Amino acid sequence: DTAVSQTPKYLVTQMGNDKSIKCEQNLGHDTMYWYKQDSKKFLKIMFSYNNKELIINETVPNRFSPKSPDKAHLNLHINSLELGDSAVYFCASSNGHDSNQPQHFGDGTRLSIL
Amino acid sequence: GESVGLHLPTLSVQEGDNSIINCAYSNSASDYFIWYKQESGKGPQFIIDIRSNMDKRQGQRVTVLLNKTVKHLSLQIAATQPGDSAVYFCAENMANDYKLSFGAGTTVTVRA
């Protein structure tokens, strides 16, 4: 009965590869997010989708491409992985009809670039 | 125990004592504030929120205080327990804006 689930939990790959992270929420929310958390624990928004429409794109390199096939899913594809992409990536969701609602987070995908 | 500032301070507190975690937010237009708790290997977990038309809100063992005049937010944890050991983040949000801006976090360690 996990609310926001991400796969995989760990991802170790070589520089230059392309990889995807998947996220699904069963909370009935219509807004989903991707965050990046660096080694100092700083959390920064990357993207947000509301009803499958991109509403936030925070100057993320275009090697990162989010895709929302439906309201319950938001995937993140990363091309040509670089060392600096090593981080923990969190998916979150909220009820976007009222922006003043808490966002609910998954447990993260730990991406390590060799 | 008490922490101050936006940097990543650590707060060490004796089990059973009260904890106070402070946060200075940046945007005077922010009208919604949240505290999250992040345990090791997990995602941020919602603790409590407060809207700008309030200055205090209480939950179970937690109280959030908001001072809009000095743009300051605090989280008080009563009778701190070992399970409260985690990193605590404050986050702010403006009306009609989906973007949540997080503070740097405070690492709380509870001593037995």
Side-chain angles (χ1 to χ4, degrees), chain A residues 10-92:
Chain A
Y10 299 95
L11 188 50
V12 181
T13 191
Q14 300 270 3
M15 204 164 54
N17 283 351
D18 304 337
K19 290 292 178 187
S20 292
I21 309 171
K22 296 187 175 183
C23 180
E24 176 181 5
Q25 54 93 7
N26 63 5
L27 295 166
H29 291 162
D30 60 2
T31 306
M32 296 184 72
Y33 311 81
W34 278 111
Y35 285 83
K36 180 180 180 180
Q37 186 172 48
D38 63 22
S39 57
K40 291 183 166 52
K41 297 285 190 185
F42 187 66
L43 264 166
K44 183 139 170 46
I45 183 79
M46 298 173 70
F47 300 104
S48 178
Y49 273 73
N50 174 256
N51 281 317
K52 301 194 298 173
E53 181 186 340
L54 180 67
I55 55 172
I56 296 175
N57 183 342
E58 284 289 299
T59 60
V60 178
N62 57 15
R63 297 183 297 106
F64 290 78
S65 51
K67 278 194 173 51
S68 181
D70 55 58
K71 287 194 309 184
H73 295 84
L74 180 62
N75 304 323
L76 182 65
H77 187 76
I78 316 170
N79 288 328
S80 303
L81 280 156
E82 300 178 357
L83 290 174
D85 298 332
S86 293
V88 184
Y89 293 84
F90 287 100
C91 176

Side-chain angles (χ1 to χ4, degrees), chain A residues 37 55 99-100 103 107 110, chain B residues 36 38 41 43 51 96 98:
Chain A
Q37 186 172 48
I55 55 172
S99 59
N100 285 357
Q103 294 176 18
D107 280 338
R110 283 139 192 87
Chain B
Y36 283 93
Q38 185 178 18
R51 286 169 171 75
N96 301 316
Y98 296 97

Side-chain angles (χ1 to χ4, degrees), chain A residues 102, chain B residues 32-33 35 46-51 54-66 74-76:
Chain B
Y32 178 59
F33 305 88
W35 280 100
F46 170 79
I47 301 173
I48 192 167
D49 58 2
I50 188 168
R51 286 169 171 75
M54 303 172 70
D55 52 21
K56 180 178 180 179
R57 189 161 188 229
Q58 287 185 289
Q60 190 177 15
R61 280 201 309 118
V62 295
T63 300
V64 55
L65 298 177
L66 175 63
S74 68
L75 177 71
Q76 300 177 5

Side-chain angles (χ1 to χ4, degrees), chain B residues 65-78:
Chain B
L65 298 177
L66 175 63
N67 184 331
K68 295 182 289 293
T69 304
V70 295
K71 294 191 287 188
H72 185 268
L73 192 67
S74 68
L75 177 71
Q76 300 177 5
I77 305 173

Side-chain angles (χ1 to χ4, degrees), chain B:
Chain B
E2 184 169 350
S3 78
V4 178
L6 270 179
H7 299 293
L8 189 65
T10 57
L11 175 65
S12 180
V13 60
Q14 186 69 38
E15 182 178 356
D17 286 354
N18 296 334
S19 303
I20 300 175
I21 306 166
N22 294 304
C23 179
Y25 64 92
S26 55
N27 191 340
S28 56
S30 293
D31 67 349
Y32 178 59
F33 305 88
I34 311 177
W35 280 100
Y36 283 93
K37 172 186 179 183
Q38 185 178 18
E39 296 175 276
S40 180
K42 298 283 185 83
Q45 178 188 2
F46 170 79
I47 301 173
I48 192 167
D49 58 2
I50 188 168
R51 286 169 171 75
S52 59
N53 60 353
M54 303 172 70
D55 52 21
K56 180 178 180 179
R57 189 161 188 229
Q58 287 185 289
Q60 190 177 15
R61 280 201 309 118
V62 295
T63 300
V64 55
L65 298 177
L66 175 63
N67 184 331
K68 295 182 289 293
T69 304
V70 295
K71 294 191 287 188
H72 185 268
L73 192 67
S74 68
L75 177 71
Q76 300 177 5
I77 305 173
T80 312
Q81 301 169 0
D84 295 328
S85 293
V87 180
Y88 289 80
F89 294 94
C90 64
E92 60 183 299
N93 183 226
M94 291 190 296
N96 301 316
D97 184 352
Y98 296 97
K99 191 165 76 172
L100 204 56
S101 297
F102 281 80
T106 297
T107 300
V108 173
T109 304
V110 181
R111 305 187 306 272

